[in-house]
Amino acid sequence: MMHLFRIAVMLVAWLWVSGAPATGFAEEAALSIHLDRREATLNDTLKLTVHIAGAEDAPRPAEIPGLEDFVVTSGGTSSQIRMDHTGVLKSSEHVYFIQPKKTGRFSIGPASLTIDGIQHASNILALTIEAPSSNDQTPSGPVFLTAELDRPHVYVEQSAVYILRLYLKARAGDLSLALPESDHLSFQQLGNPSEYRTMIEGERWQAVEVRYSVTPSAPGRYAIPPSRVRMTLYEAGRNPRRGFFDDPLFSSSRGRPVTVRSGPVELQVSPLPEDGRPGRFSGLVGDFRMQARLDPASLRAGESATLTVTIEGRGNVQRIPDLSLPAIEHVKTYGDQPSLEYRDGEDGPEAVKTMKWALVPEMPGRYDIPPLTLDFFDPSAGRYRTIEAPPLALEVSHGNQAEAGSQTPATRTSPPPEDETGPAALGEDILPVHTTPLTLSRGGRLPPNPLHAGLVLLGPALAVGAVCILVRLRRRSSLAASRMRARKAARRFFAHFGNGGLSAEELEAALRDYLNDRFQLSLGVLTPHEAAAILKARGVRKDLAARFSALAAEVDRALYTGKGQTAAGTREDIPDLIQQIEKELP
């Protein structure tokens, strides 16, 4: 009831004011500008108010000199009506939020405005902008940003973790992160941002933490510039002079743009040592483990076993090489396509690479599997390491032919000796020599039908032939499926791209899937250099390979600067590029 009463009183007052004669506008009009403070840092957002007295709905000033070095955002317009013994006084205010782009001393104003043919000019304000302290991470307002590295010193290709923490005491929206840009440094987000509450100097803050791996590609000392977060900050403001119109029914939160910057950080990068570097070193840096298993470990000649080797670890995992299995005498080997599976790690990129081979032994025996080795640089130990898969052996027994041919010794039926002085038998282990087929039949061990004997003798050979045919059919079927997938690679890309509005992450996945399907690859990460090399190796023109590499680099920049979810796949030249590449391929 009280709110309804106040609303009724307000309506009556408004009707009375709108009908009351206003004071002469031309004589009372005045233009002035005000700043909420005269000294600030690059991290601060200032409030600039343009006050026009004597006018309720005056237009905005066309231009305010001195704001060229500031990001200006409108904060809204308000009108005020004040009543006293002289009559009704009307005024209006235009609010701007300004964010400095550089340090220095600035003069803002005078603002100018023409009302009813009369030119009005405001006052001039002096403003000083200073650089924020690099070591000052104490809260100076409702929001601040910090940055740190988990280690100050790394080797080339070794990742450090870049940790950003945003602290808030007010509600914020429309957050946009700009990561620092530095030559020879690449950023990759690790997992999802985490939110938690913490206490700083006895006050409770809401914290948002996000981690990135920063990987250097060249040695040197890097001064990583500050990161920036832009947002809209909502703070419920109140007039210190509480009046009738300050009723909670009409209170609201007003958003203002805010940009906060972290402090810079330094990273020292050392080159990889030359001493002890293996000749087959691939550039792999980190901590890795290798395992191998054989399934099954024993079989019959003509059957196949699978050798599986996995490499798991943390580091520049995209450099895990494809291992080659040395030739094994009397064993045919068929390599499968390696796979690389990425995992979220809090301390850097992690992955598991799996490589498989099908082993088909041609004859019985014991076969020792050649040990596979991996060389990498271990930054924690500061030296190169070589790891080796555990030793494995494949036991191969006789096939069906051996089983069919292994028979119980036949009964000895030898002719009587010619005379009593002939040689005597030395032992029953010597079987008699049969001179005619009739003597073989008397043993009762083989079937008398020649067709059955032929089947027994040819059975193992037919079994081995069938196995070989099945293996070849499987290989041909896999090859045919791969070729079909390659022919449809571009069609799938166009179907995915045709949906429109692809983000940078989706476009990167679409480009990677296109190369994997088109050339039967298993790329886990698509780098611009690798993309160009793959296309050139398949006979694509250098200019088309360079365009594809530039597109991949553009997507990389979007991903590494926190713009992975922004729309990137709306360009019409991308499908045209894929079509031109397809014309170059067989």
Side-chain angles (χ1 to χ4, degrees):
M1 293 298 293
M2 183 60 67
H3 285 318
L4 294 176
F5 173 75
R6 291 185 176 183
I7 292 174
V9 172
M10 289 171 60
L11 291 175
V12 172
W14 176 258
L15 293 174
W16 178 79
V17 169
S18 59
T23 57
F25 177 77
E27 293 79 12
E28 296 188 6
L31 179 63
S32 61
I33 57 177
H34 309 276
L35 280 171
D36 58 349
R37 54 192 183 279
R38 299 295 182 90
E39 293 181 356
T41 70
L42 286 173
N43 289 344
D44 298 332
T45 299
L46 299 95
K47 180 180 179 181
L48 174 66
T49 303
V50 179
H51 183 79
I52 306 172
E56 180 183 359
D57 297 317
R60 294 175 179 268
E63 182 180 357
I64 302 178
L67 296 179
E68 297 79 11
D69 295 315
F70 296 82
V71 177
V72 182
T73 306
S74 175
T77 301
S78 62
S79 299
Q80 298 177 354
I81 301 175
R82 184 167 56 89
M83 295 175 290
D84 59 14
H85 64 283
T86 62
V88 179
L89 303 178
K90 302 179 180 180
S91 63
S92 61
E93 286 186 349
H94 301 281
V95 177
Y96 302 89
F97 294 105
I98 62 175
Q99 300 169 278
K101 300 178 182 178
K102 62 180 183 180
T103 59
R105 294 180 61 85
F106 304 91
S107 295
I108 299 177
S112 59
L113 185 64
T114 300
I115 303 177
D116 292 339
I118 300 177
Q119 184 76 18
H120 298 270
S122 73
N123 53 315
I124 299 176
L125 300 176
L127 177 60
T128 300
I129 301 297
E130 299 178 348
S133 173
S134 59
N135 297 323
D136 184 15
Q137 294 189 346
T138 58
S140 57
V143 57
F144 69 101
L145 180 68
T146 65
E148 64 177 270
L149 291 169
D150 68 335
R151 64 195 71 182
H153 175 267
V154 295
Y155 289 92
V156 172
E157 295 286 349
Q158 179 190 4
S159 297
V161 180
Y162 182 71
I163 307 171
L164 289 175
R165 295 187 180 93
L166 179 66
Y167 295 93
L168 295 157
K169 282 202 302 185
R171 186 168 59 91
D174 303 325
L175 276 74
S176 175
L177 170 64
L179 289 172
E181 296 183 1
S182 182
D183 293 337
H184 308 296
L185 292 180
S186 61
F187 290 82
Q188 181 179 354
Q189 185 171 337
L190 300 174
N192 297 320
S194 60
E195 297 186 31
Y196 55 90
R197 292 188 177 185
T198 185
M199 296 292 293
I200 301 177
E201 297 182 355
E203 294 184 311
R204 186 179 298 276
W205 291 78
Q206 185 74 19
V208 180
E209 180 178 311
V210 59
R211 292 171 172 250
Y212 293 85
S213 67
V214 52
T215 306
S217 60
R221 189 176 187 86
Y222 295 87
I224 302 178
S227 293
R228 301 188 309 276
V229 175
R230 292 184 178 179
M231 70 193 78
T232 301
L233 199 65
Y234 299 93
E235 296 181 276
R238 285 230 179 241
N239 191 332
R241 299 186 198 174
R242 181 176 175 86
F244 179 80
F245 293 96
D246 291 322
D247 187 86
L249 180 65
F250 303 98
S251 65
S252 62
S253 296
R254 300 179 60 181
R256 63 184 178 94
V258 171
T259 298
V260 291
R261 293 173 173 84
S262 68
V265 293
E266 289 190 353
L267 182 64
Q268 180 67 40
V269 181
S270 299
L272 297 179
E274 295 291 339
D275 186 25
R277 177 178 295 189
R280 55 185 180 274
F281 178 61
S282 66
L284 187 62
V285 178
D287 182 22
F288 298 91
R289 299 166 298 282
M290 182 162 57
Q291 296 180 347
R293 69 177 185 274
L294 197 57
D295 184 29
S298 60
L299 45 78
R300 298 177 180 180
E303 296 178 343
S304 66
T306 300
L307 173 64
T308 303
V309 176
T310 58
I311 299 174
E312 179 180 3
R314 177 189 303 116
N316 56 344
V317 293
Q318 73 278 3
R319 287 188 176 271
I320 300 178
D322 294 341
L323 302 183
S324 297
L325 180 65
I328 307 173
E329 190 175 3
H330 302 302
V331 176
K332 295 182 179 180
T333 60
Y334 305 94
D336 199 354
Q337 196 69 250
S339 64
L340 186 63
E341 177 187 356
Y342 287 87
R343 297 178 178 177
D344 290 335
E346 294 183 357
D347 300 323
E350 298 180 0
V352 177
K353 188 163 194 175
T354 304
M355 291 161 280
K356 295 184 178 182
W357 293 266
L359 309 181
V360 183
E362 298 175 333
M363 55 188 304
R366 175 186 171 89
Y367 297 93
D368 292 325
I369 307 301
L372 300 178
T373 59
L374 176 69
D375 300 312
F376 62 93
F377 180 77
D378 186 352
S380 61
R383 62 181 178 86
Y384 294 94
R385 290 179 53 195
T386 299
I387 57 177
E388 186 175 285
L392 297 172
L394 182 63
E395 296 286 349
V396 182
S397 61
H398 288 280
N400 294 331
Q401 182 177 4
E403 292 181 359
S406 60
Q407 302 178 12
T408 305
T411 304
R412 182 164 60 91
T413 57
S414 60
E418 296 181 358
D419 52 42
E420 297 297 333
T421 61
L426 298 178
E428 295 298 329
D429 58 331
I430 300 178
L431 296 177
V433 177
H434 301 280
T435 59
T436 65
L438 295 176
T439 58
L440 288 175
S441 64
R442 294 192 190 101
R445 297 300 180 181
L446 290 177
N449 191 336
L451 179 60
H452 292 172
L455 291 176
V456 170
L457 294 175
L458 294 177
L462 293 176
V464 173
V467 170
C468 294
I469 292 174
L470 289 176
V471 171
R472 290 184 179 181
L473 288 177
R474 185 175 63 179
R475 292 183 60 195
R476 290 180 180 178
S477 176
S478 177
L479 183 60
S482 299
R483 290 176 178 174
M484 182 64 68
R485 189 168 64 251
R487 287 195 293 267
K488 295 183 178 180
R491 191 182 309 170
R492 280 193 293 270
F493 178 85
F494 294 143
H496 196 151
F497 191 88
N499 296 332
L502 294 184
S503 67
E505 289 183 356
E506 294 170 335
L507 181 57
E508 192 271 343
L511 294 173
R512 184 182 67 244
D513 292 343
Y514 168 71
L515 291 182
N516 284 337
D517 292 343
R518 192 63 176 83
F519 304 117
Q520 292 88 52
L521 303 175
S522 59
L523 297 175
V525 173
L526 178 63
T527 65
H529 177 74
E530 290 177 342
I534 291 171
L535 293 175
K536 291 178 183 177
R538 267 66 176 186
V540 177
R541 297 201 318 264
K542 291 183 178 180
D543 59 325
L544 295 178
R547 286 177 58 190
F548 195 98
S549 177
L551 175 61
E554 181 181 342
V555 173
D556 272 354
R557 284 192 295 272
L559 294 175
Y560 292 149
T561 54
K563 301 177 182 178
Q565 300 300 323
T566 58
T570 56
R571 291 169 35 183
E572 297 180 356
D573 60 329
I574 298 178
D576 179 66
L577 172 61
I578 300 299
Q579 289 179 350
Q580 294 186 48
I581 291 175
E582 285 294 314
K583 293 179 181 179
E584 298 284 320
L585 298 173

